Amino acid sequence: MSGGSDGEVRVSTDGKGVPVVHGPDRVAVARGLGWVTARDRLFQLDLFRRRATGRLAEVFGPGLLAHDTAQRTLGIRIAAERALRDLPPEQRALVEAYTRGVNERLGSLPDRPDLPVEFAVTGAAPEPWRPEDCTAVALLLAQMLGGDGAEHRMRAVMEAALPAAVVSFLLPERGPYDIGIDGRPAPPPDPPDPALLATLAGIARATRPDPSAAPVVGADESPFGSNAWAVSGRRTADGRAVLANDMHLPLTAPPLLYRVSLRYPGHEVDGLVVPGVPAVIAGSTGRIAWGATRLTADNARLVPIGDDEPLTVRTERIEVRGGEPVEIGVRESRFGPVYGPSLLGRPVALRWRPLEPGGLDLGLADLAEAATAEEACDVANRAAGPPLNIVVADADGRVAWTVTGSFPGAARLPRLVDPPGGLVVVANNLTPQHAAAGHVAANGFSACRARRIVTLLETGEPLAEADLAAVQLDTDAGFFAFYRDLVRAAVREAGDTPPALSDALDAVEAWDGTAGAGARGLGLLILLRENLRESLFAALLQPCRALEPGFRYTWFDHELPLRALLRAEPAVVPAPYRTRARFVLGQLELSAAMLRVAAGAERVADVAWGALNRTGARHPLSPLLPDLAAMLDLPDAALPGCAESVHAAHTGFGPAMRLVASPGRPGDAILHLPGGQSGDPRHPNYADQFDDWLRGRPAPLLPGEPRDDVVLTHLQEAR
């Protein structure tokens, strides 16, 4: 790492608003990165800081009070200040330089008309950026991608309410699509015990859940994820390795990520950052290319608090726009804050590793200086940042995978470097390699995307950037073929079907097997799966609701037990149904009625997936200013892909970036961003990259010819 510097920094910007920051060393470049991020995304910087530290209500009003209360209870601001104090000197230098850059830009905007329009609309005044704001935003990322112990809360209630065999069945460690990091299929999971299925059939028939109760299944509420894979020189024509990464996050205006190119002696870095954090989270240099996917980390615990547990109380004052300030008292234990509702009649403290001393740093910034796959893995394993899978390709044609984050204990983190098959792939699924590392991750997503990626890469032909980019756009939705076939079997078993079902059956047969924008029938099959799942799981989990009225089932990869229940003999069907055929067809009829209402259509067979699945990238102010939504929001277009396709998407959610890159070959690299660089809705670079992203047209990672230059001298700006 280079030493600190206030030397001259030059920022050039191309026609798409992509900045190239030149400086004498890494610290000077961090200052330029802060300056240019504030130039293009000042309101977003302020918004991320407020979201992290629980200060949204003072700008947006009482509707955000619950959010702010939760963040204040966690003590994100306090943890950010501690993390800043504990940063190694090299990271602290980056943060302080970035902070100087943000404030230099802010200081050059003394007049309110020069500020982003959002400040004028909200009446908020931008405050100086502080170094601890960087660690607060990093904690926000860890919170988005990590967890709050919800799966531990769920498991505790299930273990108290259900037989152990039922708990194990409903919380499987395996899934029907399991695959290793190296792309090799895992052994199939054991079939369920027939005696257990017979017991479950009796429970389902005897239980009548309250139809007015809130849904019991909450496993689709936090779908943040990504795909990342890399092929080694064994799979390319010229022996070089190629990486692909697409991060699945909320689609927003402006996008959550920001494109940058950083230049300092010996280093040329092109990639993406999260505004507020001086670290390239995915990108390419002359030596490595790297990407990241969410790791469902097992780094939170809920600790029951006994009556004799000593507690302290911290008072937080929350300002509320249009209302009186609200004061809350936060109870804190030696384990962490008392957080959320009680669990089995006892209050619980959240012990979340990133809130603890040593639980967060910005070590991932060092990935930009790694020279080999092994060095990149070392950097990732040392870093204590958001929980992620890291995938790497290096200039020697090798590939690697490891994990990064902040975990309890001193577990040795897993890695796989240069596997014989020349492939590493991860799509938020847990693998045998994760399992071998012990308590690093839990509650992973289905491996269906990872398995499909491997299938598409097994062409037998040499691969290049265009091939990997095509895989990122794949909309195969074969996951839902099970539910189409389930309907067909139900029709055969029933013998006759009422005329009212003819439209729904036409829709099922019209489906082409994809999640393309024009696919008919997919929306109905997705809704059918959700309704079948809720009906079955609500019946089986009724004892959990009786014990804890707010119980939610939040196990992500539940396809194995769901399909086992839907195949079981004798049939597992909830009351009042008596046969599987009538259950499936009854839920199909319900799903069709719901879809007609949602789509405003007379016939569900005519409803294309793109009419339901929309980009929905909204500006945070557009709900408050509906008359300006057309200017503030990005175009609302049909969005291909679904949660179980490689092109993972649902309304307002999808690939927040796509990167395909080979180290040392930046001219061939591809990068998509769902929007533009500028955060100003009036700026030509606000949405100019959106169409390339939507249509999957190859767009270069490297910036184009500069349109302007700015030189930052010591603590000042000069043109």
Side-chain angles (χ1 to χ4, degrees):
M1 153 109 192
S2 305
S5 171
D6 281 325
E8 182 176 281
V9 177
R10 181 167 58 87
V11 179
S12 60
T13 307
D14 75 356
K16 289 192 175 295
V18 179
V20 184
V21 182
H22 300 262
D25 55 50
R26 187 183 179 198
V27 173
V29 165
R31 175 178 160 228
L33 176 60
W35 184 91
V36 77
T37 304
R39 179 194 70 182
D40 292 335
R41 301 284 187 89
L42 183 59
F43 185 73
Q44 189 179 52
L45 279 171
D46 188 61
L47 195 67
F48 284 178
R49 166 173 58 184
R50 290 180 180 277
R51 183 177 172 188
T53 58
R55 294 184 55 201
L56 289 174
E58 65 186 76
V59 174
F60 296 102
L64 276 299
L65 186 57
H67 167 89
D68 287 358
T69 298
Q71 297 303 97
R72 300 293 185 94
T73 300
L74 288 173
I76 296 293
R77 176 183 55 81
I78 297 168
E81 292 170 351
R82 181 196 304 121
L84 177 70
R85 290 193 300 268
D86 293 344
L87 286 182
E90 298 86 355
Q91 295 178 30
R92 179 72 181 244
L94 289 177
V95 167
E96 291 179 346
Y98 185 91
T99 299
R100 286 198 302 274
V102 172
N103 288 331
E104 285 177 70
R105 176 61 184 177
L106 185 58
S108 72
L109 301 173
D111 299 323
R112 199 164 190 83
D114 294 327
L115 291 172
V117 66
E118 294 95 337
F119 289 106
V121 170
T122 61
E127 301 170 0
W129 192 258
R130 297 177 296 274
E132 59 267 31
D133 294 333
C134 292
T135 47
V137 175
L139 279 167
L140 177 65
L141 293 177
Q143 184 182 13
M144 290 171 60
L145 300 174
D148 58 2
E151 65 273 16
H152 292 288
R153 178 180 295 275
M154 169 196 65
R155 185 184 287 274
V157 175
M158 291 176 68
E159 289 176 345
L162 301 170
V166 176
V167 175
S168 296
F169 173 75
L170 292 175
L171 303 180
E173 300 296 336
R174 301 289 309 281
Y177 296 93
D178 284 356
I179 197 166
I181 290 292
D182 56 2
R184 296 166 58 189
D190 294 331
D193 179 5
L196 174 62
L197 291 174
T199 298
L200 294 175
I203 294 173
R205 286 194 176 93
T207 304
R208 291 182 178 270
D210 180 0
S212 65
V216 72
V217 178
D220 298 335
E221 294 175 353
S222 300
F224 299 102
S226 307
N227 302 318
W229 69 93
V231 295
S232 78
R234 296 183 180 93
R235 290 176 175 249
T236 62
D238 51 10
R240 61 197 175 90
V242 187
L243 168 120
N245 183 206
D246 48 297
M247 298 182 183
H248 310 147
L249 297 166
L251 300 177
T252 61
L256 293 178
L257 301 173
Y258 178 70
R259 296 179 59 173
V260 296
S261 292
L262 310 177
R263 306 287 187 259
Y264 54 103
H267 296 83
E268 295 188 359
V269 186
D270 301 281
L272 299 118
V273 299
V274 174
V277 181
V280 176
I281 194 170
S284 181
T285 69
R287 294 167 295 186
I288 69 164
W290 71 99
T293 78
R294 176 187 179 183
L295 175 71
T296 52
D298 189 17
N299 63 356
R301 296 290 184 274
L302 298 176
V303 183
I305 299 297
D307 294 338
D308 57 349
E309 179 69 33
L311 300 175
T312 60
V313 178
R314 164 170 50 90
T315 301
E316 293 278 349
R317 179 184 173 91
I318 304 174
E319 301 292 334
V320 181
R321 182 179 183 179
E324 294 296 318
V326 174
E327 286 195 354
I328 62 169
V330 178
R331 294 182 296 164
E332 295 187 293
S333 74
R334 58 197 167 108
F335 307 107
V338 177
Y339 187 75
S342 63
L343 176 58
L344 300 175
R346 298 177 65 183
V348 290
L350 176 64
R351 186 169 192 173
W352 184 43
R353 180 67 185 120
L355 293 180
E356 299 176 341
L360 181 107
D361 64 29
L362 301 180
L364 281 181
D366 291 341
L367 281 172
E369 301 212 326
T372 66
E374 287 92 348
E375 285 186 18
C377 289
D378 291 342
V379 167
N381 293 164
R382 287 194 302 267
L388 298 167
N389 294 283
I390 299 294
V391 172
V392 183
D394 73 16
D396 294 326
R398 299 182 310 149
V399 298
W401 158 86
T402 190
V403 303
T404 187
S406 185
F407 307 98
R412 180 175 175 81
L413 300 183
R415 69 171 63 177
L416 182 64
V417 179
D418 203 26
L423 171 67
V424 291
V425 57
V426 64
N428 315 118
N429 52 304
L430 298 186
T431 67
Q433 289 81 5
H434 290 97
H439 295 289
V440 168
N443 195 14
F445 289 81
S446 168
C448 65
R449 283 186 281 121
R451 188 174 280 248
R452 175 65 179 170
I453 289 166
V454 172
T455 298
L456 292 171
L457 294 175
E458 298 293 351
T459 65
E461 299 293 328
L463 299 168
E465 284 86 348
D467 302 302
L468 274 63
V471 172
Q472 291 179 325
L473 300 175
D474 181 68
T475 60
D476 178 88
F479 178 94
F480 294 99
F482 174 89
Y483 298 93
R484 177 199 59 201
D485 295 344
L486 191 69
V487 171
R488 289 172 173 172
V491 170
R492 290 194 299 270
E493 182 183 338
D496 63 317
T497 55
L501 273 179
S502 62
D503 174 29
L505 296 175
D506 287 347
V508 170
E509 294 303 326
W511 180 48
D512 64 3
T514 78
R520 294 181 295 137
L522 177 63
L524 179 61
L525 289 170
I526 290 174
L527 195 53
L528 171 64
R529 174 180 178 266
E530 292 174 357
N531 285 327
L532 290 169
R533 178 183 66 183
E534 179 64 28
S535 296
L536 284 169
F537 287 178
L540 299 179
L541 294 168
Q542 183 65 19
C544 299
R545 273 282 167 90
L547 192 61
E548 285 279 358
F551 172 81
R552 303 296 301 280
Y553 176 78
T554 56
W555 198 252
F556 291 126
D557 189 6
H558 49 258
E559 197 65 13
L560 187 66
L562 178 57
R563 293 189 182 186
L565 292 170
L566 291 169
R567 289 189 181 116
E569 294 294 348
V572 180
V573 295
Y577 298 102
R578 292 173 178 261
T579 68
R580 178 167 33 240
R582 292 304 174 192
F583 171 49
V584 170
L585 295 177
Q587 295 302 303
L588 181 67
E589 186 173 9
L590 171 64
S591 302
M594 294 170 65
L595 189 58
R596 289 186 192 98
V597 173
E602 292 185 9
R603 282 176 41 83
V604 293
D606 296 333
V607 178
W609 178 234
L612 304 168
N613 208 46
R614 311 292 294 178
T615 52
R618 306 199 69 189
H619 188 283
L621 290 184
S622 64
L624 303 177
L625 302 168
D627 291 343
L628 297 180
M631 178 185 77
L632 296 171
D633 297 341
L634 295 177
D636 185 35
L639 181 61
C642 67
E644 309 299 346
S645 62
V646 176
H647 190 303
H650 64 71
T651 295
F653 179 92
M657 53 77 81
R658 296 190 198 99
L659 171 68
V660 180
S662 179
R665 295 283 291 270
D668 296 327
I670 298 167
L671 181 64
H672 286 144
L673 194 69
Q677 288 289 93
S678 177
D680 184 349
R682 304 162 298 184
H683 198 282
N685 295 136
Y686 185 65
D688 57 328
Q689 299 177 55
F690 179 84
D691 203 51
D692 284 344
W693 167 84
L694 180 65
R695 304 186 188 287
R697 287 193 295 256
L701 167 65
L702 286 181
E705 290 297 317
R707 70 182 184 193
D708 61 41
D709 256 357
V710 173
V711 176
L712 306 179
T713 57
H714 178 62
L715 296 182
Q716 65 181 1
E717 169 194 350
R719 249 181 221 285

